Amino acid sequence: NAILGTSLFMNEHIYLPVTLSAILILVMDLKKPGWVKLILAGIFLGLSDLSRGVFFLFPFTLLLFYLVAGKSIVQSLAKTVIVLAAAAAVVLPWTYRNYQVVGYPVPIGTTAGSGLYAMNSPIADPYTTQLIEMPKEHPEWVNLHPNTEVATYLAGSKYAMEWIRSDFRRFV
């Protein structure tokens, strides 16, 4: 399966190397600190966020990472802000592009909401690949935005978060 999967273009092919590179650079920053490393790690995290939005929550982990490593709260915050600024410099142009094209500032691809819903909803199963059930389960989803692509993004995000919040222990 892995051999067959390597011939497909999937976001994991971009996500894993850039995420692991960012983490390696951040670990190297502990031994020999430098703001260039922080900017480079932020750029890699921005690329990671563009390919897969999983690391949007990473700044909280990064702050904790530096605090546990013995950095002061001021140092930890400063380093986290530098990494975030560099990541934002990568993500914001794409978000602006999405705003110009679809009329809504979507930080990554508009499929992010539908993917979140497909894997975190009452209809989720390992074989769910599309939102075939969303029109049946939530017929009002089309009213969320005039652009169908944006409406799908907003609906997927909204309904997934409702399901997650309804029983957080089940989600975990």
Side-chain angles (χ1 to χ4, degrees), residues 108-168:
I108 52 176
T110 53
T111 58
S114 57
L116 184 65
Y117 180 73
M119 293 306 169
N120 297 286
S121 71
I123 63 166
D125 64 54
Y127 305 104
T128 303
T129 57
Q130 296 179 6
L131 294 181
I132 297 167
E133 299 292 326
M134 190 146 78
K136 186 171 89 175
E137 296 287 326
H138 305 285
E140 73 285 357
W141 73 274
V142 294
N143 300 327
L144 292 174
H145 197 274
N147 184 308
T148 307
E149 190 178 348
V150 175
T152 304
Y153 167 77
L154 294 173
S157 300
K158 175 184 176 190
Y159 301 134
M161 292 309 294
E162 285 175 1
W163 185 81
I164 290 167
R165 284 189 210 111
S166 70
D167 187 355
F168 190 71

Side-chain angles (χ1 to χ4, degrees), residues 56-78:
F56 274 125
L57 297 174
F58 186 71
F60 303 110
T61 307
L62 184 58
L63 183 63
L64 185 63
F65 169 75
Y66 280 117
L67 288 171
V68 169
K71 304 293 181 192
S72 71
I73 187 75
V74 173
Q75 284 178 314
S76 300
L77 280 172

Side-chain angles (χ1 to χ4, degrees), residues 21-32 65-66:
S21 296
I23 291 171
L24 176 64
I25 292 167
L26 290 169
V27 169
M28 288 170 38
D29 181 62
L30 287 178
K31 291 184 179 182
K32 189 175 178 193
F65 169 75
Y66 280 117

